[in-house]
Amino acid sequence: MLDRNRQHQIAGPGHGQALSADLYYDGGQNYSPYGRDYSELEQGFNPLKLLFYVVQYRWLFVIMAAAGLVAGVIITMMQTPKYQATTQLEVLVPSAKVFQDIEVVSENADVRAFLTAREKLKSRALAQRVVFQLGLSEKPDFLFPTPSFSLSNIFYRAFGISKSPSLEEKTPEEREEIAIKRILNDLTVNLVTNTSLLSITFVDQKPKYASDIANQVAQSFIDQRLDQTSETSDLARQFIQEQVLQVKQKLQKSEEELVAYAKDAGITITGDDKSLIGSNIEALNTALATAIQDRLDAGRVVDQIDKGRGSSLAPVLESEGLQKLNEKLADLTSQYQQKLGILKPGFPEMQQLQSQIKELQRLYNNGVLAITDSLRLKYQEAQNKEADLKSKLAEMEKQQVIFNDKNIKYTILKREVDSNRSQYDNLIAKLNEVGVSSELKTQSAAIVDFASVPDRPYSPRLSINLAIALALFMALSASVIYVIELLNNTFTNPEQVEKELGLAMLGILPLVDDRELMASIADQKSGLSEAYRSLRTSLQFSGAEGAPRSLVVTSSEPSEGKSTTSFKLGQDFAALGARVLIVDGDLRKPNLHRLFGLDNTIGLSNLLTNTVRKEDLASIFRATKYPNVTVLTSGTIPPNPADLLSSPKMALIITNLGKRFDLVIIDAPPIVGLSDAPILSRLAEGTLMVISTNQVTRKSAKTALKRLRSAGANVVGAAMSKFAVNKFDYNYAYKYMNYQYYNYGTDKSNPKIEGKVDDGASQPAYAKSPTFSRLVRRVRSSIGGFLDRAKSIS
């Protein structure tokens, strides 16, 4: 390889100082000055990328925007002006009354009532009523309006021409049907949120019709509801009257049957709907319960008497006579006890006291005995009364059993009477209500705001039409751009080459007009020359030991600039003092001799086939007018180029030439469809792949790179040729190059040397209209790229 340490000490043409390795080389990373770190590539949605798409296709957007604005104006002119009037109607929903168990239950108004009113407002019957009340079937300007959207509207509005419809062509029924359909189609009814208001809107070409019909629809709805309510009340009253007569007859008949059965069965009913036997049984049960309670109370008293505790009974304690005797007895007993301590019991006074005490005790005992005997008598009476009541109750229960058998049918007849009476009462009440409500003409709706005559049309609106048309045309532009980008499977910027092929971008070569090509190459201050010098510098740092000693320059397809690249690289490396040999390895369609202005009588093919004399061997390697540049042309075109290039002699020639020259550059044929380039790339130390912008397809480039690597080639990187330099282009966003940079040191007053370049174009720099020329070039480029891709696919 070329010694990098030696080469970057040599100042190249146009440079004022030596090249520095540190400026282009970063450690062990093998990146070119235009290479990108893949870790920094944007992922996902990129708004900036969309912005630059807009900039790239700015003229398409401008044209489409202008077309959209024109279309919006035309569409507006084609539309007939329409006027809109709105009436607000309040729906009054009364609380419903439901009779249930003789209670009135009020229900809240339901939103269904408002929805029902809205549908009635849009009904055919109401529309027919409006047509009749306004006489719309006799108004030709309403029946036959101007078309809403028509090309003829442009002339009508421009010259003030109006159509004159005729009513004679239609029958009255047809005219009425047309008027009804017009009202139904142009009428809109909406419920105002969270209110009981309905918004009635009508649209027409005449402002007077719009307001009159909106107001009439609301009024006709109110009148229709009143008529329906009155008619319903009359029908309801008539129906209820018929029901009252029927129920009244049923009630009379059921009462007669009940009375006749009670009379035949001997059933007597008290005022509270109870039978006499049942009332007696109820009274006997009450009396028996009282008698049993009395007997139990008296029995408890007798038990106390039998236990000798009669003196402690309440009647005894409550007797005043016995209480007085008891007090006197206690007094005498106390005196006796006091005197006993002084006198003996046999003393007359003591004996007198004892006799008095005994007498009082006898009287007290007789009184207690009298009370207890009366209590015993009361207990006996209670027992007798209880027995009598039980006997009478048993007798009445037997009679009740007989009564119950008779009462079953009586109960059935009585229940029927009660049911008929309840129906009769309810029907009478409803009849009264219907009679009162039929006299009251209450409105179920009221007009809140009447529609006024609109002073300006609401449609069409130019601003909205322009906005919609502009949005549609912008969407169409985006779709066209998407399809173009989808079909465009070529390389448009260096980032795509790095991403798709995984190759380092060693150089970017700007697009130059074919007629200006040689002048740009000869001019060392031109942008193209500067680009090739940058490519040379990148090649110097493409390997650990500098540029490869033998370099194959090839491309995927023909006409990508590989021969021009070989030609210019040889000159640039020779300018650094290196001895350069340029070999035309294209034995099929050689072109290198034309660039150097040499004949192609003998060359590489003659050397490989041993058809050159020894005395002519030295003349095969031809010196050129460029210092340190030697050329080996292709020679006579052989019938078997691949066999010659794959022969051992070709490898030997490359090896020997590498010893005689510092750098051997081989201009190889295209890769796709031929085996020559893979063979040559295997023999050289490095291979440079030239990829043209907007020409070669990505699939073709991938296939070519795969073939090179399969042959064992060392692909050091890629050079992108025919790259359009435009500071407003999408490529400028990625900062690969800019126009001012490649004009460095160029006389700005005379830019003819570079030519006016753009994507896929070949127009001269002196075009009078740059904008028009650029647009034409873009169209030609798109069509040419599409045709090239079609050929590649086929």
Side-chain angles (χ1 to χ4, degrees):
M1 292 191 177
L2 285 175
D3 187 359
R4 182 175 57 203
N5 295 325
R6 180 176 67 86
Q7 292 296 336
H8 70 244
Q9 297 296 333
I10 304 175
H15 293 275
Q17 60 183 1
L19 301 176
S20 174
D22 295 335
L23 181 62
Y24 298 97
Y25 189 76
D26 182 14
Q29 300 295 331
N30 185 18
Y31 288 149
S32 71
Y34 297 99
R36 291 176 64 94
D37 186 356
Y38 295 109
S39 63
E40 296 178 356
L41 295 178
E42 294 89 352
Q43 299 294 333
F45 177 73
N46 188 355
L48 187 60
K49 188 174 181 179
L50 294 180
L51 174 62
F52 285 110
Y53 269 123
V54 174
V55 175
Q56 182 181 3
Y57 293 95
R58 57 192 176 278
W59 292 113
L60 175 62
F61 279 109
V62 170
I63 293 173
M64 296 299 282
L69 295 177
V70 173
V73 173
I74 294 176
I75 289 174
T76 303
M77 294 295 293
M78 293 175 65
Q79 291 180 292
T80 302
K82 292 186 178 181
Y83 297 84
Q84 176 178 280
T86 302
T87 300
Q88 283 196 338
L89 181 71
E90 181 181 7
V91 179
L92 307 175
V93 182
S95 301
K97 293 183 179 180
V98 181
F99 288 87
Q100 182 179 359
D101 298 333
I102 319 178
E103 293 181 359
V104 178
V105 181
S106 298
E107 296 181 350
N108 294 328
D110 193 353
V111 70
R112 289 176 295 179
F114 302 111
L115 298 178
T116 302
R118 184 182 69 178
E119 295 302 320
K120 286 185 176 181
L121 284 166
K122 296 163 61 177
S123 64
R124 179 182 178 83
L126 187 65
Q128 186 176 15
R129 188 166 187 153
V130 172
V131 170
F132 175 77
Q133 291 177 345
L134 294 181
L136 298 178
S137 60
E138 302 300 327
K139 296 181 179 180
D141 53 347
F142 179 79
L143 295 176
F144 308 107
T146 305
S148 299
F149 186 82
S150 175
L151 188 62
S152 60
N153 290 339
I154 299 178
F155 301 98
Y156 295 154
R157 297 179 64 179
F159 301 103
I161 303 174
S162 60
K163 297 178 63 177
S164 56
S166 177
L167 297 177
E168 299 176 357
E169 301 176 357
K170 303 290 182 180
T171 62
E173 292 79 10
E174 292 176 342
R175 294 199 300 268
E176 182 181 3
E177 184 68 21
I178 293 173
I180 292 174
K181 288 183 178 179
R182 276 221 57 199
I183 291 179
L184 294 178
N185 292 336
D186 297 333
L187 181 67
T188 303
V189 182
N190 293 316
L191 176 63
V192 182
T193 307
N194 298 327
T195 66
S196 59
L197 300 178
L198 291 175
S199 176
I200 304 172
T201 303
F202 190 79
V203 177
D204 195 83
Q205 298 175 4
K206 304 290 184 181
K208 182 64 175 175
Y209 284 154
S211 59
D212 290 348
I213 293 176
N215 292 328
Q216 187 59 49
V217 168
Q219 188 61 47
S220 298
F221 174 76
I222 295 174
D223 297 340
Q224 186 185 52
R225 292 288 293 267
L226 290 176
D227 295 345
Q228 291 176 351
T229 301
S230 177
E231 183 179 356
T232 302
S233 298
D234 294 340
L235 293 175
R237 183 171 60 253
Q238 181 180 357
F239 174 75
I240 294 175
Q241 286 175 349
E242 295 176 356
Q243 294 295 316
V244 167
L245 292 177
Q246 295 179 6
V247 173
K248 183 178 180 181
Q249 294 175 359
K250 290 173 62 178
L251 177 62
Q252 291 177 352
K253 182 178 180 181
S254 61
E255 287 178 342
E256 291 174 357
E257 292 178 353
L258 178 65
V259 172
Y261 179 77
K263 184 177 180 180
D264 294 340
I267 298 175
T268 304
I269 303 299
T270 61
D272 53 356
D273 293 338
K274 294 182 179 179
S275 66
L276 184 60
I277 297 175
S279 299
N280 292 336
I281 291 176
E282 184 177 352
L284 286 175
N285 281 326
T286 303
L288 179 60
T290 304
I292 292 174
Q293 185 63 38
D294 293 342
R295 189 258 304 169
L296 292 176
D297 294 340
R300 285 193 291 270
V301 172
V302 171
D303 290 339
Q304 294 292 329
I305 294 173
D306 292 341
K307 293 178 180 179
R309 290 181 280 187
S311 59
S312 62
L313 296 175
V316 175
L317 297 177
E318 294 174 355
S319 176
E320 295 182 356
L322 293 178
Q323 291 297 328
K324 290 179 179 180
L325 290 174
N326 193 22
E327 291 176 356
K328 290 181 179 181
L329 181 59
D331 185 37
L332 291 175
T333 302
S334 175
Q335 292 179 10
Y336 180 80
Q337 292 296 332
Q338 290 177 358
K339 292 180 179 182
L340 186 59
I342 302 173
L343 302 176
K344 295 183 179 180
F347 194 72
E349 186 177 355
M350 297 296 288
Q351 291 179 352
Q352 185 179 0
L353 287 173
Q354 289 179 355
S355 61
Q356 291 178 354
I357 290 171
K358 290 180 179 179
E359 182 62 21
L360 288 174
Q361 186 68 40
R362 185 184 63 79
L363 291 174
Y364 180 78
N365 292 335
N366 290 336
V368 172
L369 182 61
I371 292 174
T372 56
D373 289 341
S374 65
L375 292 175
R376 289 180 182 275
L377 181 62
K378 184 177 180 181
Y379 174 67
Q380 186 63 38
E381 290 176 355
Q383 287 181 331
N384 294 335
K385 184 178 179 180
E386 180 182 356
D388 292 340
L389 289 173
K390 287 183 177 180
S391 175
K392 186 65 175 175
L393 182 61
E395 182 180 354
M396 295 302 295
E397 287 178 349
K398 292 179 181 180
Q399 295 180 5
Q400 180 66 28
V401 172
I402 298 173
F403 173 77
N404 288 338
D405 294 338
K406 298 178 180 180
N407 191 48
I408 293 175
K409 185 175 180 180
Y410 178 84
T411 302
I412 295 173
L413 294 175
K414 188 175 182 304
R415 187 181 298 113
E416 184 177 358
V417 170
D418 293 340
S419 175
N420 293 333
R421 183 176 290 111
S422 176
Q423 293 181 20
Y424 182 76
D425 293 340
N426 290 336
L427 288 173
I428 291 297
K430 290 183 179 180
L431 182 62
N432 294 333
E433 289 182 2
V434 171
V436 173
S437 61
S438 63
E439 300 299 329
L440 299 177
K441 298 287 186 178
T442 58
Q443 291 186 350
S444 59
I447 298 177
V448 177
D449 286 329
F450 285 92
S452 59
V453 179
D455 54 354
R456 60 180 180 272
Y458 92 101
S459 173
R461 296 178 64 180
L462 180 60
S463 57
I464 294 179
N465 288 344
L466 290 178
I468 294 175
L470 192 61
L472 290 177
F473 274 81
M474 289 298 100
L476 180 60
S477 302
S479 301
V480 171
I481 293 172
Y482 177 76
V483 173
I484 291 175
E485 291 295 324
L486 193 63
L487 295 177
N488 183 16
N489 61 347
T490 60
F491 296 99
T492 59
N493 58 75
E495 182 189 36
Q496 295 174 347
V497 176
E498 295 176 342
K499 184 177 180 181
E500 297 288 340
L501 303 182
L503 294 178
M505 184 54 58
L506 301 181
I508 302 175
L509 310 176
L511 176 66
V512 178
D513 185 77
D514 292 341
R515 292 168 291 184
E516 306 276 343
L517 180 60
M518 298 310 295
S520 296
I521 292 176
D523 184 7
Q524 297 301 318
K525 293 184 179 181
S526 67
L528 184 61
S529 296
E530 183 61 36
Y532 276 113
R533 285 195 291 271
S534 298
L535 175 60
R536 177 195 64 188
T537 304
S538 299
L539 286 171
Q540 288 181 285
F541 294 94
S542 62
E545 298 180 359
R549 296 294 297 270
S550 56
L551 177 67
V552 171
V553 180
T554 184
S555 62
S556 303
E557 298 175 356
S559 302
E560 292 194 56
K562 55 181 179 53
S563 297
T564 304
T565 301
S566 302
F567 173 74
K568 185 58 178 172
L569 281 178
Q571 298 179 35
D572 290 339
F573 274 104
L576 296 179
R579 293 172 300 165
V580 179
L581 172 65
I582 304 177
V583 179
D584 192 348
D586 191 349
L587 302 183
R588 301 175 188 270
K589 292 183 179 181
N591 186 48
L592 202 58
H593 63 281
R594 296 188 182 93
L595 296 177
F596 283 97
L598 302 175
D599 61 83
N600 194 26
T601 54
I602 58 173
L604 179 61
S605 61
N606 304 97
L607 191 61
L608 292 175
T609 57
N610 294 323
T611 59
V612 60
R613 294 175 299 177
K614 290 184 179 181
E615 56 271 17
D616 296 331
L617 189 60
S619 62
I620 292 181
F621 299 93
R622 304 182 186 183
T624 64
K625 61 181 179 180
Y626 306 102
N628 297 328
V629 176
T630 305
V631 177
L632 174 58
T633 59
S634 62
T636 306
I637 297 177
N640 54 346
D643 295 339
L644 295 179
L645 295 177
S646 60
S647 63
K649 192 171 184 179
M650 182 64 188
L652 183 61
I653 291 173
I654 296 296
T655 303
N656 292 331
L657 292 177
K659 296 177 181 180
R660 291 181 55 188
F661 295 92
D662 295 328
L663 175 62
V664 177
I665 299 177
I666 304 173
D667 180 21
I671 303 170
V672 176
L674 302 175
S675 61
D676 301 7
I679 294 172
L680 292 173
S681 63
R682 183 179 58 186
L683 302 177
E685 292 185 6
T687 301
L688 175 65
M689 192 170 178
V690 178
I691 300 173
S692 58
T693 306
N694 291 324
Q695 178 176 337
V696 62
T697 62
R698 301 181 191 182
K699 183 177 181 182
S700 178
K702 287 182 180 179
T703 304
L705 181 61
K706 183 178 180 182
R707 291 193 62 191
L708 290 177
R709 288 177 173 169
S710 299
N714 176 28
V715 183
V716 296
M720 196 167 192
S721 62
K722 303 181 182 180
F723 188 77
V725 181
N726 190 333
K727 64 180 179 180
F728 292 112
D729 201 358
Y730 167 80
N731 306 308
Y732 180 77
Y734 287 83
K735 300 180 181 179
Y736 288 103
M737 54 172 33
N738 60 64
Y739 197 78
Q740 286 78 7
Y741 174 76
Y742 281 117
N743 280 339
Y744 176 74
T746 304
D747 185 6
K748 297 182 180 179
S749 63
N750 186 22
K752 284 182 64 177
I753 192 67
E754 282 299 313
K756 187 65 177 179
V757 296
D758 202 304
D759 289 349
S762 24
Q763 294 292 333
Y766 47 85
K768 294 182 178 180
S769 177
T771 302
F772 178 77
S773 300
R774 187 159 50 247
L775 179 60
V776 172
R777 287 195 298 270
R778 286 185 178 276
V779 173
R780 290 179 179 176
S781 175
S782 300
I783 296 175
F786 178 77
L787 294 176
D788 290 340
R789 288 190 294 273
K791 292 178 181 178
S792 299
I793 294 173
S794 61

